[in-house]
């Protein structure tokens, strides 16, 4: 089905294409701007920098790239409304973005129904590219499976046998806990999970959660909370001695978006995935870091990397396709290699998952601020199942 350029649509305040012309190539972008500014503000800076770099280099086959961005308010229904407007009114040739996994799944379903290309950035649930994957959806970030595999490898080295889990009670948290359990038990059949806490996302009662976990007397804890919930959990748990003499393994906690708000309360020695922006020695990252700091007089967060790489990926797909036809975009995206601040990545043909990786290390407190130490960059390609096996997990 042809996704030819339409007349200029009306954009929201976040629109980067208020002066778009009929010759421009327009990409729709949807995210939870009002719901999670700690991530989405740096994320927006990242994709805006990418757009300017792409257009300064000649755009897409000489045409200007325009991103029309909308806020989903953290609600799947609002995301679908935004997607409908982007396709029917704004004439975009693809949709991109999303943060929360339940919203990503909703937009993915929309893309399949409307036959529009969707390049997901942040949603981490494995269902995006496996059990609920479809021809129209591709994903940038390393999935729950990949990050769980990285963390489980480190967790299996711990002497702990009794584990407890704390995770937000929605698709992302449920998926992360399930796959971590599976992978850790595979590596260490002797472990058992003795307690689970499922606080509602954004509404954690940290005191009650800490009390319930403490009562189970685990030797180690898996944490999947993030944002304000993480801050509350760390402070309440520290006050109650929950983390004393216990190992903690934690998704995402090493990302500056989530470390920075903790400040001096940052726990030390947690095994985490994250982004030690000031210590990365990858050559491509230095160029990205220098450009970002020059433009914004600020340091990048992981959201900055995601936003930047997302739009760079979209441009690479458009350039390779030499068309805005949806089928041509899908064909171009399968197996495409894209440069990222963490080095080259590939969008696998079998499951549409990119091989972008993550940094795995430990939290530390340096000069009153949280950071990552003893870290290494792990490529997603080293932890994903084979493409043949992944293909069997898709509908």
């Amino acid at each position: 089905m042809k996704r030819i350029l339409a007349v200029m649509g009306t954009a929201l305040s976040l629109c980067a294409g208020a002066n778009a012309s009929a010759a421009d190539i327009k990409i729709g972008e949807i995210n939870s701007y009002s719901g999670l500014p700690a991530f989405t503000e740096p994320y927006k800076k990242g994709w805006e920098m990418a757009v300017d770099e792409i257009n300064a280099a000649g755009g897409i086959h000489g045409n200007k790239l325009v991103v029309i961005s909308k806020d989903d308010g953290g609600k799947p229904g609002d995301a679908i409304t935004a997607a409908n407007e982007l396709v029917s009114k704004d004439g975009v040739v693809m949709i991109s973005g999303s943060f929360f996994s339940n919203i990503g799944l909703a937009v993915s379903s929309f893309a399949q129904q409307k036959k529009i290309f969707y390049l997901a950035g942040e949603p981490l649930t494995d269902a995006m590219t496996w059990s609920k994957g479809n021809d129209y959806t591709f994903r940038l970030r390393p999935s729950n499976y990949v990050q769980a595999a990285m963390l489980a490898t480190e967790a299996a080295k711990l002497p702990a046998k009794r584990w407890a889990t704390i995770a937000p009670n929605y698709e992302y948290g449920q998926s992360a806990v399930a796959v971590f359990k599976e992978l850790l038990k595979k590596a260490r059949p002797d472990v058992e999970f003795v307690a689970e806490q499922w606080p509602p996302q954004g509404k954690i009662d940290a005191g009650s959660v800490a009390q319930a976990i403490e009562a189970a007397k685990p030797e180690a804890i898996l944490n999947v909370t993030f944002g304000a919930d993480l801050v509350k959990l760390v402070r309440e748990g520290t006050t109650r001695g929950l983390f004393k003499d216990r190992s903690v393994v934690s998704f995402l906690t090493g990302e500056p978006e989530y470390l920075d708000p903790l400040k001096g309360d940052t726990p030390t020695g947690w095994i985490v995935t994250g982004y030690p922006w000031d210590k990365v020695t990858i050559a491509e990252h230095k160029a990205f870091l220098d450009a970002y700091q020059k433009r914004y007089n600020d340091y990048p967060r992981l959201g900055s990397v995601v936003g930047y790489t997302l739009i760079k990926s979209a441009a690479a797909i458009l350039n390779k396709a030499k068309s805005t036809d949806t089928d041509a975009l899908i064909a171009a995206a399968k197996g495409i290699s894209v440069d990222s601040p963490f080095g080259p990545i590939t969008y696998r043909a079998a499951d549409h998952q990119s091989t972008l990786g993550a940094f795995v290390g430990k939290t530390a407190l340096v000069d009153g601020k949280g950071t990552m130490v003893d870290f290494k960059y792990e490529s997603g390609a080293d932890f994903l199942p084979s493409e043949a096996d992944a293909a069997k997990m898709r509908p």
Side-chain angles (χ1 to χ4, degrees), residues 90-107:
D90 298 317
V92 301
V93 301
M94 71 165 70
I95 296 171
S96 64
S98 303
F99 180 90
F100 293 107
S101 288
N102 55 335
I103 293 177
L105 288 175
V107 176

Side-chain angles (χ1 to χ4, degrees), residues 15-66:
C15 175
N19 298 313
S21 73
D24 296 334
I25 294 182
K26 292 178 281 188
I27 295 175
E29 191 280 327
I30 304 169
N31 224 307
S32 301
Y33 288 99
S34 58
L36 203 69
F39 176 90
T40 53
E41 288 178 5
Y43 162 86
K44 183 172 184 283
K45 289 180 179 179
W47 67 249
E48 287 179 333
M49 187 170 87
V51 169
D52 287 349
E53 288 183 3
I54 291 161
N55 287 330
I60 309 298
H61 297 295
N63 294 312
K64 181 181 177 183
L65 180 67
V66 172

